[in-house]
Amino acid sequence: MGFVQKEQEIDNYSGAKISEGEEIIISAYCKALVRGKHLPTVVAFSSVNTPKGNFKPYKTILDTKFNIVFVNDSGNNWYLKGVEGVGANFTESAKKIIEIARGIGNGWVMTFGTSMGAYGSMLYAAVGGADKCVAFGPEVMLDQPGSRSHQHKSKDAFLSYSTLLSYVKNSTSIFYLITSESDEVDLINAIAFTNISNVKVFSIRGVEHPGVQVFDAEIGIGKFIDAAINDTGSIMSFERAGTMLENKELIKDLWIAYGLKREKNFIGYLDYLLSIRDGYLNSSMYMLRLGEAYYRTGNYRRATECLKKSIDLDSLQFESYNLLGVIQRKQKIYPDSESNLLESAKISPRNPYPHHNLGLLYLDLGLLDKALLVFERAVALNKGNAIFAKSLADVKALING
């Protein structure tokens, strides 16, 4: 369907005549695509560092058959300062955006977002009164050390976890939170909502933050949104569903260990993990982190044992395959290294690290053309990584003589 672009003043919106096929520009940070007055509407919140006039994700969400309201944040404020051109604060913006979403369709609204957008989707669903919210990888406890909000969020934008919790608890919305099992920041935030009656929390294996990548690859985000609007229960019965959220103590211990690793206190990282080992030897995630700690302290034999056990416990543990491949490359066990790195990339194809490590392996073997291809893939997946960019430049220089 083609869309006829139309500028619309926000204050006059409620009385405007709506036509199917319209693209309504509300501001540089909010626009609506109208598919039909008889249809529900999804409000899609953009992730960090999305430029003015753009929305992210965008193309994949266009595949939904329902109405869409796209929203962006003007300064990585986690939507706490409102949406520019819509409202002066998040309360005003949330109410107006949900009102717009109800007005262009049949009145039923679902919010959707990933990472920063997940936070916005939760906050605006609760405050604005959406019917449903689906959020991938939200940080509900802002500015935790090592978190994405701590790295990217404007420091003068803040809302306490207790206030957000109150909004959610007192809301008539139903919330579906999905978190990656390989990300300690996501996990520690997820368990903060596991006992709230109108919040359903799920974990997903074999994918990094925010977790939506699996659904995007398998059916596309647009189709996922369609399924979530039609029947959230069935879409949440996914093949990679995990069980880590059942063990809150493990998540809390891994969060403590993560803090030591982030501070590069690798001896303390290993020591802490060993101090809690008796309760978690059957956890794939724990064995991965213990193997990582052994690797960081130079004990490749113990690291290899732990990583293999991690994989035995969960065949989708892509980080274990990747690190095992790194160790085997250092030990010049090249066939096994390649096999494990390829498996890591297969499980989580949008993670750049196994691609980069494959490039280093191919360089060791003198396979420059193969190294070039995987380095290009790593850079495409993470354009801001200086190490990846240097590896790509170096192999190009070797090829060009």
Side-chain angles (χ1 to χ4, degrees), residues 297-355:
T297 52
N299 191 334
Y300 291 177
R301 181 179 67 82
R302 289 286 191 188
T304 297
E305 291 172 357
C306 292
L307 294 169
K308 287 183 176 180
K309 176 70 180 295
S310 173
I311 291 167
D312 288 342
L313 291 166
D314 184 357
S315 62
L316 294 178
Q317 194 60 263
F318 65 96
E319 285 189 84
S320 293
Y321 285 108
N322 177 62
L323 187 51
L324 191 56
V326 168
I327 293 170
Q328 289 165 337
R329 173 183 160 254
K330 290 177 180 291
Q331 296 173 327
K332 299 186 178 357
I333 310 173
Y334 294 129
D336 289 350
S337 175
E338 181 183 32
S339 175
N340 283 309
L341 292 172
L342 286 170
E343 186 64 21
S344 179
K346 178 183 175 183
I347 295 167
S348 189
R350 297 188 186 180
N351 184 338
Y353 292 97
H355 297 285

Short mmCIF file of all heavy atoms in Angstrom, two decimals, residues 297-355:
data_model
loop_
_atom_site.label_atom_id
_atom_site.label_comp_id
_atom_site.label_asym_id
_atom_site.label_seq_id
_atom_site.Cartn_x
_atom_site.Cartn_y
_atom_site.Cartn_z
N THR A 297 42.16 -15.73 33.07
CA THR A 297 43.31 -15.90 33.98
C THR A 297 44.33 -16.88 33.42
O THR A 297 45.23 -17.32 34.14
CB THR A 297 42.82 -16.35 35.36
OG1 THR A 297 41.98 -17.49 35.23
CG2 THR A 297 42.05 -15.24 36.06
N GLY A 298 44.19 -17.25 32.15
CA GLY A 298 45.22 -18.02 31.46
C GLY A 298 45.17 -19.54 31.61
O GLY A 298 46.07 -20.23 31.16
N ASN A 299 44.10 -20.06 32.21
CA ASN A 299 44.00 -21.51 32.38
C ASN A 299 43.12 -22.07 31.26
O ASN A 299 41.92 -22.27 31.43
CB ASN A 299 43.41 -21.84 33.76
CG ASN A 299 43.53 -23.31 34.10
OD1 ASN A 299 43.59 -24.16 33.23
ND2 ASN A 299 43.55 -23.61 35.39
N TYR A 300 43.75 -22.37 30.11
CA TYR A 300 43.00 -22.81 28.95
C TYR A 300 42.42 -24.21 29.13
O TYR A 300 41.35 -24.52 28.58
CB TYR A 300 43.89 -22.77 27.70
CG TYR A 300 44.26 -21.38 27.24
CD1 TYR A 300 45.11 -21.19 26.15
CD2 TYR A 300 43.76 -20.25 27.88
CE1 TYR A 300 45.45 -19.92 25.72
CE2 TYR A 300 44.11 -18.97 27.46
CZ TYR A 300 44.95 -18.82 26.38
OH TYR A 300 45.29 -17.56 25.95
N ARG A 301 43.08 -25.05 29.88
CA ARG A 301 42.60 -26.42 30.06
C ARG A 301 41.28 -26.40 30.82
O ARG A 301 40.30 -27.02 30.40
CB ARG A 301 43.63 -27.26 30.80
CG ARG A 301 43.19 -28.73 31.01
CD ARG A 301 44.26 -29.52 31.73
NE ARG A 301 44.44 -29.08 33.10
CZ ARG A 301 43.67 -29.47 34.12
NH1 ARG A 301 42.66 -30.30 33.92
NH2 ARG A 301 43.92 -29.02 35.36
N ARG A 302 41.26 -25.69 31.95
CA ARG A 302 40.02 -25.61 32.72
C ARG A 302 38.93 -24.87 31.94
O ARG A 302 37.75 -25.22 32.00
CB ARG A 302 40.27 -24.89 34.04
CG ARG A 302 41.08 -25.69 35.04
CD ARG A 302 40.25 -26.79 35.64
NE ARG A 302 40.92 -27.41 36.76
CZ ARG A 302 40.49 -28.50 37.37
NH1 ARG A 302 39.39 -29.09 36.96
NH2 ARG A 302 41.15 -29.00 38.40
N ALA A 303 39.33 -23.84 31.23
CA ALA A 303 38.37 -23.08 30.42
C ALA A 303 37.70 -23.99 29.41
O ALA A 303 36.47 -23.98 29.24
CB ALA A 303 39.06 -21.92 29.72
N THR A 304 38.49 -24.81 28.73
CA THR A 304 37.96 -25.73 27.72
C THR A 304 36.98 -26.72 28.33
O THR A 304 35.91 -26.99 27.77
CB THR A 304 39.11 -26.47 27.02
OG1 THR A 304 39.93 -25.51 26.34
CG2 THR A 304 38.59 -27.48 26.02
N GLU A 305 37.33 -27.25 29.49
CA GLU A 305 36.44 -28.20 30.17
C GLU A 305 35.09 -27.55 30.48
O GLU A 305 34.02 -28.15 30.25
CB GLU A 305 37.09 -28.69 31.46
CG GLU A 305 38.30 -29.58 31.26
CD GLU A 305 39.02 -29.88 32.58
OE1 GLU A 305 38.61 -29.32 33.62
OE2 GLU A 305 39.99 -30.66 32.56
N CYS A 306 35.14 -26.34 31.01
CA CYS A 306 33.90 -25.65 31.38
C CYS A 306 33.06 -25.30 30.16
O CYS A 306 31.82 -25.44 30.17
CB CYS A 306 34.22 -24.38 32.17
SG CYS A 306 34.94 -24.67 33.79
N LEU A 307 33.71 -24.85 29.10
CA LEU A 307 32.97 -24.44 27.91
C LEU A 307 32.31 -25.64 27.24
O LEU A 307 31.17 -25.55 26.76
CB LEU A 307 33.91 -23.73 26.93
CG LEU A 307 34.46 -22.38 27.44
CD1 LEU A 307 35.56 -21.88 26.53
CD2 LEU A 307 33.35 -21.34 27.56
N LYS A 308 33.00 -26.76 27.22
CA LYS A 308 32.39 -27.98 26.65
C LYS A 308 31.20 -28.43 27.49
O LYS A 308 30.18 -28.88 26.95
CB LYS A 308 33.44 -29.08 26.53
CG LYS A 308 34.45 -28.84 25.41
CD LYS A 308 35.44 -29.99 25.29
CE LYS A 308 36.37 -29.78 24.10
NZ LYS A 308 37.36 -30.89 23.96
N LYS A 309 31.31 -28.31 28.81
CA LYS A 309 30.19 -28.66 29.68
C LYS A 309 29.03 -27.70 29.44
O LYS A 309 27.86 -28.11 29.41
CB LYS A 309 30.63 -28.59 31.14
CG LYS A 309 29.52 -28.84 32.16
CD LYS A 309 29.07 -30.28 32.18
CE LYS A 309 27.96 -30.51 33.23
NZ LYS A 309 28.42 -30.30 34.62
N SER A 310 29.33 -26.43 29.25
CA SER A 310 28.29 -25.44 28.96
C SER A 310 27.51 -25.81 27.71
O SER A 310 26.28 -25.74 27.68
CB SER A 310 28.93 -24.06 28.79
OG SER A 310 27.98 -23.11 28.36
N ILE A 311 28.22 -26.23 26.68
CA ILE A 311 27.59 -26.63 25.41
C ILE A 311 26.77 -27.91 25.59
O ILE A 311 25.68 -28.05 25.03
CB ILE A 311 28.65 -26.78 24.31
CG1 ILE A 311 29.23 -25.40 23.96
CG2 ILE A 311 28.06 -27.46 23.08
CD1 ILE A 311 30.48 -25.46 23.11
N ASP A 312 27.30 -28.85 26.38
CA ASP A 312 26.54 -30.07 26.66
C ASP A 312 25.20 -29.75 27.33
O ASP A 312 24.19 -30.41 27.08
CB ASP A 312 27.35 -31.00 27.56
CG ASP A 312 28.52 -31.67 26.84
OD1 ASP A 312 28.49 -31.68 25.59
OD2 ASP A 312 29.44 -32.15 27.52
N LEU A 313 25.21 -28.74 28.19
CA LEU A 313 23.99 -28.36 28.91
C LEU A 313 23.03 -27.56 28.05
O LEU A 313 21.82 -27.59 28.29
CB LEU A 313 24.37 -27.54 30.15
CG LEU A 313 25.08 -28.32 31.27
CD1 LEU A 313 25.70 -27.36 32.28
CD2 LEU A 313 24.09 -29.26 31.96
N ASP A 314 23.54 -26.84 27.05
CA ASP A 314 22.68 -26.06 26.16
C ASP A 314 23.39 -25.92 24.81
O ASP A 314 24.36 -25.18 24.68
CB ASP A 314 22.40 -24.67 26.74
CG ASP A 314 21.44 -23.86 25.88
OD1 ASP A 314 21.04 -24.35 24.81
OD2 ASP A 314 21.08 -22.74 26.27
N SER A 315 22.88 -26.61 23.82
CA SER A 315 23.51 -26.61 22.50
C SER A 315 23.40 -25.27 21.79
O SER A 315 24.01 -25.08 20.73
CB SER A 315 22.88 -27.70 21.63
OG SER A 315 21.49 -27.44 21.44
N LEU A 316 22.63 -24.32 22.35
CA LEU A 316 22.50 -22.99 21.75
C LEU A 316 23.40 -21.95 22.42
O LEU A 316 23.27 -20.76 22.15
CB LEU A 316 21.05 -22.51 21.83
CG LEU A 316 20.03 -23.30 21.01
CD1 LEU A 316 18.63 -22.75 21.23
CD2 LEU A 316 20.37 -23.27 19.52
N GLN A 317 24.33 -22.40 23.26
CA GLN A 317 25.18 -21.47 24.00
C GLN A 317 26.28 -20.94 23.07
O GLN A 317 27.44 -21.36 23.09
CB GLN A 317 25.78 -22.15 25.22
CG GLN A 317 26.40 -21.21 26.24
CD GLN A 317 25.38 -20.24 26.80
OE1 GLN A 317 25.31 -19.12 26.32
NE2 GLN A 317 24.61 -20.65 27.81
N PHE A 318 25.93 -19.95 22.25
CA PHE A 318 26.80 -19.47 21.19
C PHE A 318 28.10 -18.85 21.72
O PHE A 318 29.14 -18.93 21.07
CB PHE A 318 26.06 -18.46 20.31
CG PHE A 318 25.68 -17.18 21.00
CD1 PHE A 318 26.48 -16.06 20.90
CD2 PHE A 318 24.52 -17.10 21.74
CE1 PHE A 318 26.13 -14.88 21.54
CE2 PHE A 318 24.15 -15.93 22.38
CZ PHE A 318 24.96 -14.82 22.29
N GLU A 319 28.05 -18.23 22.89
CA GLU A 319 29.27 -17.64 23.45
C GLU A 319 30.30 -18.72 23.81
O GLU A 319 31.50 -18.50 23.70
CB GLU A 319 28.94 -16.79 24.67
CG GLU A 319 28.29 -15.46 24.35
CD GLU A 319 28.20 -14.59 25.59
OE1 GLU A 319 29.20 -13.91 25.90
OE2 GLU A 319 27.14 -14.60 26.24
N SER A 320 29.82 -19.86 24.25
CA SER A 320 30.74 -20.95 24.58
C SER A 320 31.43 -21.48 23.34
O SER A 320 32.64 -21.74 23.34
CB SER A 320 29.98 -22.09 25.29
OG SER A 320 29.53 -21.68 26.56
N TYR A 321 30.66 -21.65 22.25
CA TYR A 321 31.28 -22.07 20.99
C TYR A 321 32.33 -21.05 20.54
O TYR A 321 33.43 -21.42 20.09
CB TYR A 321 30.21 -22.20 19.90
CG TYR A 321 29.34 -23.41 19.99
CD1 TYR A 321 28.01 -23.30 20.38
CD2 TYR A 321 29.82 -24.67 19.66
CE1 TYR A 321 27.18 -24.42 20.45
CE2 TYR A 321 29.00 -25.80 19.72
CZ TYR A 321 27.69 -25.66 20.12
OH TYR A 321 26.87 -26.76 20.19
N ASN A 322 32.01 -19.78 20.66
CA ASN A 322 32.92 -18.73 20.20
C ASN A 322 34.22 -18.75 21.01
O ASN A 322 35.32 -18.75 20.43
CB ASN A 322 32.25 -17.37 20.32
CG ASN A 322 33.17 -16.23 19.93
OD1 ASN A 322 33.63 -16.14 18.80
ND2 ASN A 322 33.48 -15.36 20.88
N LEU A 323 34.10 -18.78 22.34
CA LEU A 323 35.31 -18.73 23.16
C LEU A 323 36.12 -20.01 23.03
O LEU A 323 37.36 -19.97 23.04
CB LEU A 323 34.93 -18.49 24.62
CG LEU A 323 36.08 -18.25 25.59
CD1 LEU A 323 37.03 -17.16 25.09
CD2 LEU A 323 35.55 -17.89 26.98
N LEU A 324 35.44 -21.14 22.88
CA LEU A 324 36.16 -22.39 22.65
C LEU A 324 36.94 -22.31 21.34
O LEU A 324 38.10 -22.75 21.26
CB LEU A 324 35.16 -23.54 22.60
CG LEU A 324 35.70 -24.97 22.62
CD1 LEU A 324 36.61 -25.21 23.82
CD2 LEU A 324 34.55 -25.98 22.61
N GLY A 325 36.34 -21.72 20.32
CA GLY A 325 37.04 -21.53 19.05
C GLY A 325 38.24 -20.62 19.18
O GLY A 325 39.29 -20.84 18.57
N VAL A 326 38.13 -19.58 20.01
CA VAL A 326 39.25 -18.66 20.26
C VAL A 326 40.41 -19.41 20.91
O VAL A 326 41.58 -19.27 20.50
CB VAL A 326 38.79 -17.49 21.15
CG1 VAL A 326 39.99 -16.68 21.66
CG2 VAL A 326 37.83 -16.58 20.39
N ILE A 327 40.11 -20.21 21.93
CA ILE A 327 41.15 -20.97 22.63
C ILE A 327 41.81 -21.96 21.69
O ILE A 327 43.05 -22.08 21.65
CB ILE A 327 40.55 -21.69 23.85
CG1 ILE A 327 40.11 -20.67 24.90
CG2 ILE A 327 41.56 -22.67 24.46
CD1 ILE A 327 39.28 -21.27 26.02
N GLN A 328 41.01 -22.66 20.90
CA GLN A 328 41.57 -23.66 19.97
C GLN A 328 42.42 -23.02 18.90
O GLN A 328 43.43 -23.60 18.47
CB GLN A 328 40.42 -24.47 19.37
CG GLN A 328 39.77 -25.40 20.40
CD GLN A 328 38.43 -25.93 19.96
OE1 GLN A 328 37.75 -25.34 19.11
NE2 GLN A 328 38.02 -27.05 20.52
N ARG A 329 42.06 -21.82 18.47
CA ARG A 329 42.92 -21.10 17.52
C ARG A 329 44.27 -20.79 18.15
O ARG A 329 45.32 -20.97 17.52
CB ARG A 329 42.24 -19.81 17.07
CG ARG A 329 43.16 -18.94 16.21
CD ARG A 329 42.55 -17.62 15.82
NE ARG A 329 43.62 -16.71 15.45
CZ ARG A 329 44.05 -15.70 16.17
NH1 ARG A 329 43.47 -15.39 17.32
NH2 ARG A 329 45.06 -14.95 15.76
N LYS A 330 44.27 -20.33 19.39
CA LYS A 330 45.52 -20.03 20.08
C LYS A 330 46.38 -21.29 20.24
O LYS A 330 47.61 -21.21 20.25
CB LYS A 330 45.23 -19.41 21.44
CG LYS A 330 44.65 -17.99 21.38
CD LYS A 330 44.32 -17.47 22.77
CE LYS A 330 43.73 -16.06 22.73
NZ LYS A 330 44.70 -15.04 22.31
N GLN A 331 45.70 -22.43 20.36
CA GLN A 331 46.41 -23.70 20.51
C GLN A 331 46.71 -24.36 19.18
O GLN A 331 47.22 -25.48 19.14
CB GLN A 331 45.57 -24.65 21.39
CG GLN A 331 45.39 -24.14 22.82
CD GLN A 331 44.43 -25.00 23.61
OE1 GLN A 331 43.47 -25.57 23.07
NE2 GLN A 331 44.67 -25.12 24.91
N LYS A 332 46.38 -23.66 18.08
CA LYS A 332 46.61 -24.13 16.71
C LYS A 332 45.83 -25.42 16.39
O LYS A 332 46.23 -26.23 15.56
CB LYS A 332 48.11 -24.34 16.43
CG LYS A 332 48.93 -23.06 16.56
CD LYS A 332 50.36 -23.27 16.13
CE LYS A 332 51.24 -22.06 16.16
NZ LYS A 332 50.68 -20.77 16.53
N ILE A 333 44.69 -25.59 17.05
CA ILE A 333 43.79 -26.70 16.73
C ILE A 333 42.77 -26.14 15.74
O ILE A 333 41.60 -25.90 16.05
CB ILE A 333 43.11 -27.25 18.00
CG1 ILE A 333 44.13 -27.53 19.10
CG2 ILE A 333 42.34 -28.53 17.69
CD1 ILE A 333 43.52 -27.92 20.44
N TYR A 334 43.23 -25.90 14.53
CA TYR A 334 42.47 -25.09 13.58
C TYR A 334 41.15 -25.70 13.12
O TYR A 334 40.15 -24.98 13.06
CB TYR A 334 43.36 -24.75 12.38
CG TYR A 334 44.53 -23.85 12.74
CD1 TYR A 334 45.83 -24.18 12.37
CD2 TYR A 334 44.33 -22.67 13.44
CE1 TYR A 334 46.90 -23.36 12.69
CE2 TYR A 334 45.39 -21.83 13.76
CZ TYR A 334 46.67 -22.18 13.39
OH TYR A 334 47.72 -21.36 13.72
N PRO A 335 41.07 -26.99 12.78
CA PRO A 335 39.78 -27.53 12.33
C PRO A 335 38.69 -27.40 13.40
O PRO A 335 37.55 -27.02 13.09
CB PRO A 335 40.09 -28.99 12.02
CG PRO A 335 41.56 -29.02 11.74
CD PRO A 335 42.15 -28.00 12.65
N ASP A 336 39.02 -27.72 14.64
CA ASP A 336 38.03 -27.60 15.72
C ASP A 336 37.66 -26.14 15.98
O ASP A 336 36.49 -25.82 16.25
CB ASP A 336 38.58 -28.22 17.01
CG ASP A 336 38.65 -29.73 16.95
OD1 ASP A 336 38.11 -30.31 15.99
OD2 ASP A 336 39.27 -30.34 17.84
N SER A 337 38.65 -25.27 15.88
CA SER A 337 38.39 -23.85 16.07
C SER A 337 37.40 -23.35 15.03
O SER A 337 36.41 -22.67 15.36
CB SER A 337 39.70 -23.06 15.97
OG SER A 337 39.44 -21.66 16.03
N GLU A 338 37.65 -23.67 13.77
CA GLU A 338 36.75 -23.23 12.71
C GLU A 338 35.34 -23.79 12.92
O GLU A 338 34.34 -23.07 12.78
CB GLU A 338 37.27 -23.68 11.34
CG GLU A 338 36.37 -23.22 10.19
CD GLU A 338 36.85 -23.72 8.84
OE1 GLU A 338 37.43 -24.82 8.79
OE2 GLU A 338 36.63 -23.01 7.84
N SER A 339 35.24 -25.05 13.27
CA SER A 339 33.94 -25.68 13.48
C SER A 339 33.14 -24.97 14.57
O SER A 339 31.94 -24.69 14.42
CB SER A 339 34.13 -27.16 13.84
OG SER A 339 32.90 -27.77 14.14
N ASN A 340 33.80 -24.66 15.69
CA ASN A 340 33.09 -24.02 16.80
C ASN A 340 32.73 -22.57 16.49
O ASN A 340 31.65 -22.10 16.87
CB ASN A 340 33.94 -24.10 18.07
CG ASN A 340 33.88 -25.48 18.69
OD1 ASN A 340 32.81 -26.01 18.92
ND2 ASN A 340 35.04 -26.07 18.96
N LEU A 341 33.60 -21.85 15.80
CA LEU A 341 33.28 -20.47 15.44
C LEU A 341 32.13 -20.41 14.44
O LEU A 341 31.25 -19.55 14.54
CB LEU A 341 34.52 -19.77 14.88
CG LEU A 341 35.65 -19.53 15.89
CD1 LEU A 341 36.90 -19.01 15.18
CD2 LEU A 341 35.21 -18.55 16.98
N LEU A 342 32.12 -21.34 13.50
CA LEU A 342 31.02 -21.40 12.54
C LEU A 342 29.70 -21.72 13.24
O LEU A 342 28.65 -21.18 12.89
CB LEU A 342 31.31 -22.44 11.45
CG LEU A 342 32.37 -22.04 10.41
CD1 LEU A 342 32.74 -23.24 9.55
CD2 LEU A 342 31.86 -20.89 9.54
N GLU A 343 29.76 -22.61 14.23
CA GLU A 343 28.55 -22.97 14.96
C GLU A 343 28.02 -21.77 15.75
O GLU A 343 26.81 -21.52 15.80
CB GLU A 343 28.82 -24.14 15.90
CG GLU A 343 27.59 -24.67 16.60
CD GLU A 343 26.56 -25.28 15.67
OE1 GLU A 343 26.91 -25.65 14.54
OE2 GLU A 343 25.37 -25.38 16.08
N SER A 344 28.94 -21.00 16.35
CA SER A 344 28.54 -19.80 17.08
C SER A 344 27.85 -18.81 16.15
O SER A 344 26.79 -18.26 16.48
CB SER A 344 29.76 -19.15 17.72
OG SER A 344 29.39 -17.97 18.41
N ALA A 345 28.43 -18.61 14.96
CA ALA A 345 27.86 -17.68 13.99
C ALA A 345 26.52 -18.18 13.46
O ALA A 345 25.63 -17.38 13.15
CB ALA A 345 28.83 -17.46 12.84
N LYS A 346 26.37 -19.48 13.37
CA LYS A 346 25.11 -20.06 12.90
C LYS A 346 23.99 -19.83 13.91
O LYS A 346 22.86 -19.48 13.56
CB LYS A 346 25.29 -21.55 12.65
CG LYS A 346 24.03 -22.27 12.21
CD LYS A 346 24.29 -23.77 12.06
CE LYS A 346 23.00 -24.53 11.73
NZ LYS A 346 23.25 -26.00 11.64
N ILE A 347 24.30 -20.02 15.19
CA ILE A 347 23.29 -19.86 16.24
C ILE A 347 22.88 -18.41 16.39
O ILE A 347 21.70 -18.08 16.51
CB ILE A 347 23.82 -20.40 17.58
CG1 ILE A 347 24.05 -21.91 17.50
CG2 ILE A 347 22.86 -20.08 18.73
CD1 ILE A 347 24.85 -22.47 18.66
N SER A 348 23.87 -17.51 16.39
CA SER A 348 23.59 -16.08 16.58
C SER A 348 24.27 -15.28 15.47
O SER A 348 25.31 -14.66 15.68
CB SER A 348 24.11 -15.64 17.96
OG SER A 348 23.68 -14.33 18.26
N PRO A 349 23.68 -15.30 14.27
CA PRO A 349 24.36 -14.75 13.09
C PRO A 349 24.61 -13.25 13.12
O PRO A 349 25.43 -12.75 12.36
CB PRO A 349 23.43 -15.14 11.93
CG PRO A 349 22.11 -15.40 12.57
CD PRO A 349 22.40 -15.92 13.94
N ARG A 350 23.93 -12.52 14.00
CA ARG A 350 24.13 -11.07 14.06
C ARG A 350 25.12 -10.66 15.13
O ARG A 350 25.32 -9.48 15.39
CB ARG A 350 22.79 -10.36 14.26
CG ARG A 350 21.84 -10.60 13.09
CD ARG A 350 20.61 -9.76 13.18
NE ARG A 350 19.66 -10.10 12.14
CZ ARG A 350 18.49 -9.53 11.97
NH1 ARG A 350 18.10 -8.57 12.79
NH2 ARG A 350 17.68 -9.90 11.00
N ASN A 351 25.74 -11.63 15.76
CA ASN A 351 26.82 -11.35 16.71
C ASN A 351 28.11 -11.24 15.91
O ASN A 351 28.52 -12.21 15.25
CB ASN A 351 26.91 -12.47 17.73
CG ASN A 351 27.93 -12.20 18.81
OD1 ASN A 351 28.85 -11.41 18.64
ND2 ASN A 351 27.79 -12.86 19.93
N PRO A 352 28.80 -10.11 15.94
CA PRO A 352 29.98 -9.93 15.07
C PRO A 352 31.22 -10.70 15.52
O PRO A 352 32.12 -10.93 14.72
CB PRO A 352 30.23 -8.42 15.15
CG PRO A 352 29.69 -8.01 16.48
CD PRO A 352 28.48 -8.90 16.71
N TYR A 353 31.30 -11.09 16.78
CA TYR A 353 32.55 -11.63 17.32
C TYR A 353 33.00 -12.95 16.69
O TYR A 353 34.17 -13.10 16.35
CB TYR A 353 32.48 -11.72 18.84
CG TYR A 353 32.43 -10.34 19.46
CD1 TYR A 353 31.22 -9.76 19.83
CD2 TYR A 353 33.60 -9.59 19.62
CE1 TYR A 353 31.17 -8.48 20.35
CE2 TYR A 353 33.55 -8.31 20.15
CZ TYR A 353 32.33 -7.76 20.50
OH TYR A 353 32.28 -6.48 21.01
N PRO A 354 32.13 -13.93 16.50
CA PRO A 354 32.61 -15.14 15.84
C PRO A 354 33.07 -14.89 14.41
O PRO A 354 34.00 -15.55 13.93
CB PRO A 354 31.41 -16.09 15.90
CG PRO A 354 30.23 -15.25 16.20
CD PRO A 354 30.74 -14.09 16.99
N HIS A 355 32.45 -13.93 13.73
CA HIS A 355 32.89 -13.59 12.37
C HIS A 355 34.30 -13.01 12.40
O HIS A 355 35.16 -13.39 11.59
CB HIS A 355 31.92 -12.59 11.74
CG HIS A 355 30.53 -13.12 11.57
ND1 HIS A 355 30.18 -14.01 10.59
CD2 HIS A 355 29.39 -12.89 12.28
CE1 HIS A 355 28.90 -14.31 10.67
NE2 HIS A 355 28.40 -13.63 11.70
#
